[in-house]
Amino acid sequence: MKILHISDLHFPKKLSLFSLRGKAIVGYLNYHVRRRSKHPVVLIAAMVDTIKSLEYDALVISGDLTNVSHPSEFQNAKDILKPILTDKTFLIPGNHDRYQKRAMDPNPLFEKAFAEWMGESVSSHHYLRTKRIAGKLFVGWDSNLAIPRITANGYVAKEVVDTTVNLAKEPYVLVGHHPLWNPNSEIESSSHRMSNRKEVVEGLQTNPPELYLHGHTHTNWVKLPGKETPFTIVNSASSTRLSDSKHECGFHLIELGKQTHYRRFIYSENKFTETNPILYEETEGVV
């Protein structure tokens, strides 16, 4: 099976400051001044065109389609992704898609825009969704917290982890936004990481996924199975950002089989080209 994984798209959208509230004002100014040039429109178009040209069985998008979860950003993201939104697509929200509480209650804007590709809900109390694509079970989590401070922490309830390991009676692919492991060179700050990820990893031990696909940290990597996390972890963030000295950006095409192969695509000279994946052993980082 071929799984194409993209993440942290942060599609640009010009907004009026008068339409923003609270930390969204700070977040939008930060993006507009410091990060907008890192996500050029030409790169975004090249990503969509490249995906259209590749052969794959499933397309996974692990969040952050927007920047400050403004209502118009969701429609903008949907319009851009329209050529690749099919029954093979499975997506979850990122922390920027939950940036403001008004984006979540009473009618979550992410769900309103992308319900068709989010799979089926299996919990009445928590975000836990499943979708079967080409015979493979995909499970989606929402690890994001809409909080007023300028932080980006995540959290996954124990009930969500327990339900996941109990419902999956076959090999499955788990999709979340926050990392469960970081290489030593990419340790997250206390205001950016999933606050209970050690407990989450311990909870998955009884029935670990084949793959955990995520984003959030804008540098690509593949962590191979180890003792503490006996499954592969793939980070494809940010798929729409220019690489620089601190960020290795792009996306992955993962070929599951007797032997799993990881193909990585990066933007260079106005197009996406295949390059070597960045592989880590578990001992080269931390949960």
Side-chain angles (χ1 to χ4, degrees):
M1 182 180 195
K2 296 181 180 180
I3 302 172
L4 204 159
H5 175 219
I6 63 177
S7 193
D8 293 63
L9 307 176
H10 295 289
F11 292 131
K13 176 67 176 176
K14 188 174 183 179
L15 303 173
S16 166
L17 290 178
F18 295 105
S19 68
L20 303 176
R21 303 175 186 173
K23 74 171 186 176
I25 298 174
V26 178
Y28 177 70
L29 289 174
N30 177 60
Y31 171 80
H32 193 73
V33 173
R34 297 177 55 195
R35 294 171 48 213
R36 182 180 59 168
S37 62
K38 298 291 186 179
H39 298 267
V41 174
V42 64
L43 189 160
I44 293 168
M47 181 197 71
V48 172
D49 287 343
T50 302
I51 290 173
K52 288 166 59 179
S53 71
L54 291 171
E55 292 184 7
Y56 59 89
D57 300 298
L59 169 63
V60 172
I61 309 174
S62 54
D64 276 4
L65 282 63
T66 67
N67 290 294
V68 294
S69 64
H70 187 275
S72 66
E73 288 187 295
F74 292 97
Q75 185 59 52
N76 178 58
K78 187 175 180 179
D79 290 343
I80 293 171
L81 291 171
K82 185 177 180 180
I84 54 175
L85 290 175
T86 71
D87 57 1
K88 297 191 294 185
T89 305
F90 183 59
L91 45 71
I92 62 158
N95 62 294
H96 282 265
D97 305 316
R98 306 297 204 194
Y99 205 77
Q100 303 178 75
K101 285 188 176 181
R102 67 170 177 159
M104 298 180 66
D105 297 316
N107 298 306
L109 298 180
F110 189 89
E111 283 82 340
K112 182 179 178 181
F114 298 107
E116 183 177 348
W117 305 281
M118 293 172 61
E120 300 295 326
S121 176
V122 296
S123 173
S124 59
H125 303 293
H126 298 282
Y127 185 109
L128 180 57
R129 290 176 174 265
T130 62
K131 184 173 182 178
R132 191 173 295 278
I133 306 175
K136 177 66 66 178
L137 178 65
F138 290 80
V139 179
W141 287 353
D142 181 357
S143 59
N144 311 289
L145 301 172
I147 51 181
R149 302 187 306 277
I150 306 297
T151 60
N153 294 111
Y155 178 86
V156 176
K158 183 178 184 299
E159 181 182 336
V160 172
V161 181
D162 292 344
T163 303
T164 298
V165 298
N166 289 326
L167 71 82
K169 307 300 182 184
E170 62 195 274
Y172 67 102
V173 175
L174 180 59
V175 185
H177 183 65
H178 288 77
L180 294 178
W181 177 96
N182 290 82
N184 291 323
S185 60
E186 297 288 340
I187 301 299
E188 289 183 284
S189 68
S190 59
S191 63
H192 198 256
R193 72 198 318 265
M194 184 192 294
S195 60
N196 68 328
R197 73 182 191 180
K198 285 185 178 293
E199 290 80 7
V200 170
V201 168
E202 290 173 0
L204 289 172
Q205 289 276 358
T206 58
N207 186 13
E210 282 185 282
L211 294 171
Y212 177 68
L213 306 180
H214 73 88
H216 195 50
T217 300
H218 291 188
T219 293
N220 294 169
W221 65 68
V222 174
K223 185 213 71 73
L224 301 173
K227 182 178 180 180
E228 193 170 8
T229 52
F231 48 91
T232 299
I233 297 177
V234 179
N235 177 13
S236 289
S238 164
S239 303
T240 58
R241 177 172 177 150
L242 294 170
S243 296
D244 56 34
S245 60
K246 295 183 179 180
H247 302 87
E248 294 278 0
C249 301
F251 62 84
H252 294 91
L253 182 59
I254 305 147
E255 299 183 25
L256 289 179
K258 290 184 178 180
Q259 288 188 328
T260 302
H261 298 280
Y262 309 97
R263 300 171 62 190
R264 179 169 169 256
F265 294 81
I266 61 170
Y267 184 75
S268 177
E269 298 181 354
N270 299 319
K271 62 182 180 179
F272 275 88
T273 57
E274 188 169 352
T275 188
N276 294 326
I278 301 170
L279 302 177
Y280 289 101
E281 297 292 340
E282 181 178 271
T283 54
E284 296 179 87
V286 294
V287 170

